[in-house]
Amino acid sequence: MPPRKKRGAVPGNSSGYGAERVSDEFFGDPQEMPDWARPDPDEQAVDDDSVAAGAAADASAGTPSTATSGPLASAQLAGAEDGSPATVEELRASMERIMQSPAPARKAEKKKRSAKRLPKAQRETEEPEELSDDQWREKARAILLRQLTASDKSAKQLKDKLLDKECPEAIADEVIERFIEVDLVDDQKFADAWVRARTRTRGLARQALKHELRSKGVDDEIAQMALEQVDDADEEERARELARTKLRPASMGVDREKALRRLVGMLGRKGYNGSMAFRVAREEWDARFGEH
């Protein structure tokens, strides 16, 4: 193996610590480095510390560091057509040209990524979806099926959902009418089920149930037929059950007037008329605490 040439200086320049080292300026494959340009392992740690310190100083001064990757890492040595190493001046000139050259534009990809990061509400308000009538019909059917799979809905609730999705009103009415024809949408069945569920789980009186059905878009005549499932005796019995539950704590027996006000207010919020609410509250309080 030929004797290793002194590293750290280019022929024609002064040597020593202050000399420019070609090994620092070489950005090709390390395996292809000539022997004279390979870094000394004993000095590699010192070189790495120097590069890191220089990069930090450049960053604080606002100047780009030469220890970078990308196009600079694959730059060929200027003026080395015959295989001989380039001078430091040529290397620096080549680096300057690379650093000043504009980066390739990737506007389309950036725009696509930024669009994905937009909030859903903002994306929806940019441009309305343009679909043909047949496409809207297909989309409307899919929306209705998802809604009905989750829970029963009235025709008005379903139409409101389609309009929220910007479905044309004429197509919304057409698709809902078709669902009514095949018995997938039935306001009477919906009202009957609603009354049974709300009386069982919430103990609501007929007046409150009627108000809820009206808010769901159910016709008053259909709502009245559904409310026939509940009579006066059933309504009073549910009121008494609610009062007994409220009177379980012993603290409700300390102040009769205060307890009655709380009971009447609770029953009134559930739709029971005032006379029934007061009578039930008084009788149930007396049954619970009157003998003590």
Side-chain angles (χ1 to χ4, degrees):
M1 180 176 180
R4 189 171 185 177
K5 293 183 180 181
K6 183 177 180 181
R7 59 178 300 280
V10 178
N13 291 347
S14 61
S15 61
Y17 182 79
E20 297 291 339
R21 298 193 306 267
V22 176
S23 60
D24 287 347
E25 306 289 348
F26 188 89
F27 293 92
D29 187 349
Q31 301 300 325
E32 298 178 1
M33 275 188 178
D35 292 340
W36 59 268
R38 292 181 181 274
D40 191 333
D42 296 335
E43 296 178 9
Q44 186 62 44
V46 177
D47 294 343
D48 292 342
D49 292 342
S50 300
V51 171
D58 290 341
S60 62
T63 57
S65 173
T66 57
T68 183
S69 59
L72 187 58
S74 59
Q76 300 296 324
L77 298 179
E81 297 177 355
D82 56 353
S84 60
T87 65
V88 173
E89 288 75 11
E90 291 174 335
L91 289 172
R92 284 186 171 177
S94 177
M95 292 178 195
E96 285 295 329
R97 289 194 297 271
I98 294 173
M99 295 296 292
Q100 294 175 3
S101 62
R106 301 176 66 182
K107 294 182 180 178
E109 184 176 349
K110 289 182 180 179
K111 185 176 181 181
K112 183 178 180 181
R113 289 200 302 265
S114 63
K116 290 182 179 179
R117 290 193 293 266
L118 288 175
K120 181 179 179 182
Q122 185 176 350
R123 293 199 304 269
E124 290 179 351
T125 55
E126 285 182 351
E127 290 184 4
E129 192 172 9
E130 296 183 2
L131 299 176
S132 66
D133 288 352
D134 287 340
Q135 289 174 324
W136 269 120
R137 290 185 184 94
E138 186 64 29
K139 183 174 181 178
R141 284 192 289 267
I143 292 173
L144 295 188
L145 288 174
R146 286 197 300 269
Q147 291 293 311
L148 293 172
T149 300
S151 64
D152 289 336
K153 301 285 192 307
S154 67
K156 182 181 183 301
Q157 286 178 295
L158 295 172
K159 182 176 178 179
D160 289 343
K161 176 60 68 173
L162 292 179
L163 295 181
D164 287 343
K165 298 294 185 180
E166 300 183 355
C167 177
E169 186 172 2
I171 293 178
D173 290 336
E174 175 188 334
V175 175
I176 291 174
E177 186 62 32
R178 178 56 182 162
F179 271 57
I180 293 174
E181 291 175 2
V182 297
D183 245 4
L184 290 175
V185 176
D186 189 327
D187 277 3
Q188 187 64 66
K189 290 181 180 178
F190 168 78
D192 291 343
W194 185 267
V195 169
R196 289 193 298 271
R198 299 292 280 179
T199 54
R200 182 179 66 254
T201 61
R202 297 292 305 280
L204 298 182
R206 285 169 291 186
Q207 187 62 32
L209 292 169
K210 183 177 181 180
H211 177 74
E212 287 190 344
L213 289 173
R214 184 176 294 170
S215 70
K216 304 294 181 185
V218 177
D219 184 76
D220 286 346
E221 184 177 350
I222 294 176
Q224 188 59 41
M225 294 175 63
L227 291 172
E228 290 177 358
Q229 301 174 87
V230 182
D231 57 22
D232 293 341
D234 293 335
E235 193 166 273
E236 182 173 336
E237 182 58 32
R238 279 190 298 276
R240 293 186 179 277
E241 291 173 358
L242 291 170
R244 291 169 193 151
T245 302
K246 191 74 173 177
L247 287 170
R248 284 174 185 171
S251 59
M252 292 290 286
V254 176
D255 188 334
R256 184 175 186 271
E257 295 303 319
K258 181 179 179 179
L260 291 180
R261 285 196 302 271
R262 294 177 64 181
L263 287 175
V264 171
M266 179 268 295
L267 292 174
R269 288 190 295 273
K270 290 185 178 291
Y272 296 90
N273 64 68
S275 59
M276 176 188 286
F278 185 77
R279 176 170 55 83
V280 168
R282 186 180 64 248
E283 291 175 357
E284 291 300 324
W285 191 95
D286 291 342
R288 173 77 169 83
F289 299 106
E291 59 186 24
H292 297 295

